[in-house]
Amino acid sequence: MITMHGIEKKYELGGSVVHALDHIDLTIETGAFVSIIGPSGSGKSTLMNMMGCLDKPDAGQYTLGGSRIDRLKDRELADIRNQKIGFIFQNFNLLGKLTAVENVELPLIYRGVKSKERRTRAMECLMRVGLEERAAHLPSQLSGGQQQRVAIARALAGEPQILLADEPTGALDSKTSEEIMRLLTELNDNGRTIVLITHDLHVARKAKRTVSIRDGRLQEGEHI
């Protein structure tokens, strides 16, 4: 599914060069559930952006689902994001004036899916996360956990090859966090490939495999 070899990303900061990603080698198989854990400034957000085709490496090779990402142009990267990747964010990123089902429909609009099919698929995704009865509610009428379930449904709508979850429990209380992690585990048990970015060791341990990042370098296991 994902193969990274020798990935580097550098930034200039205050006259010095910061190695945000320093010769990253990482392989993630189809159907895996991997957590990437690290403190603030460790490089995990940069790595997330790279995996999500939001940025390209300065050096190295990145292959996602058979496509060499490091060779693609910006328009091609946008197509990969829309077709192969589902994103789940800490702050949900729902549009406040749209209902739950309308938010879930958004990636299907970008794909040009017709209205009737779009609504059917969006409702199916809400059913998968147990929120079909909240389809007509606005985000402001939903709890934090319900909003994150809508965000997960939206991520699933385009049937992506991989789900990238960036601190998906960071804005939630501990009980709701457990519910969201159970849902992600169920999705993985049903064959979905999931990569989870977190700073929380308790959350990271819910995955089947944990990788640590510090100073732009990866280590297998919980070395934080």
Side-chain angles (χ1 to χ4, degrees):
M1 176 63 71
I2 285 178
T3 303
M4 290 183 161
H5 180 66
I7 293 292
E8 296 183 35
K9 190 67 180 181
K10 303 175 184 177
Y11 298 102
E12 288 191 12
L13 184 64
S16 61
V17 177
V18 176
H19 292 262
L21 299 177
D22 190 0
H23 292 88
I24 296 291
D25 291 327
L26 178 65
T27 299
I28 296 175
E29 303 292 342
T30 300
F33 187 0
V34 179
S35 63
I36 298 176
I37 185 169
S40 177
S42 62
K44 62 183 185 296
S45 293
T46 304
L47 182 57
M48 175 77 165
N49 289 341
M50 202 71 63
M51 286 184 174
C53 301
L54 297 167
D55 199 359
K56 291 192 290 186
D58 296 325
Q61 298 180 4
Y62 173 27
T63 302
L64 171 63
S67 300
R68 273 286 300 273
I69 301 303
D70 53 286
R71 293 177 173 176
L72 300 181
K73 297 179 180 179
D74 289 346
R75 179 57 184 269
E76 294 171 315
L77 289 175
D79 289 340
I80 291 288
R81 288 194 300 271
N82 186 254
Q83 295 168 12
K84 295 186 177 183
I85 304 171
F87 293 93
I88 305 167
F89 300 101
Q90 176 177 342
N91 294 319
F92 322 132
N93 287 9
L94 302 178
L95 297 185
K97 294 184 178 180
L98 299 184
T99 63
V101 69
E102 289 168 341
N103 269 284
V104 177
E105 286 184 272
L106 285 176
L108 302 177
I109 293 175
Y110 300 141
R111 287 193 181 190
V113 178
K114 293 183 178 179
S115 178
K116 185 176 180 179
E117 180 184 352
R118 201 167 65 221
R119 181 56 56 94
T120 298
R121 287 171 62 176
M123 287 300 300
E124 288 173 350
C125 289
L126 284 175
M127 289 178 66
R128 289 169 73 178
V129 300
L131 275 186
E132 65 272 22
E133 294 182 359
R134 297 289 188 270
H137 287 62
L138 297 171
S140 60
Q141 298 170 314
L142 302 173
S143 68
Q146 289 171 334
Q147 289 184 63
Q148 190 61 290
R149 285 177 178 268
V150 173
I152 292 171
R154 180 184 58 193
L156 293 170
E159 292 297 323
Q161 295 180 5
I162 184 169
L163 290 180
L164 294 182
D166 188 5
E167 300 281 7
T169 63
L172 304 174
D173 60 68
S174 58
K175 180 180 178 181
T176 308
S177 295
E178 291 289 339
E179 293 173 356
I180 294 301
M181 290 309 300
R182 279 197 296 271
L183 175 57
L184 292 177
T185 299
E186 289 172 9
L187 291 170
N188 176 249
D189 288 343
N190 289 325
R192 190 72 58 181
T193 305
I194 299 175
V195 178
L196 169 70
I197 306 293
T198 185
H199 69 277
D200 187 330
L201 185 56
H202 178 71
V203 170
R205 286 174 173 167
K206 300 291 185 181
K208 296 176 180 176
R209 174 187 171 198
T210 301
V211 178
S212 299
I213 185 167
R214 181 179 288 275
D215 298 327
R217 296 181 178 180
L218 288 182
Q219 279 186 287
E220 198 74 24
E222 303 167 356
H223 308 287
I224 59 173

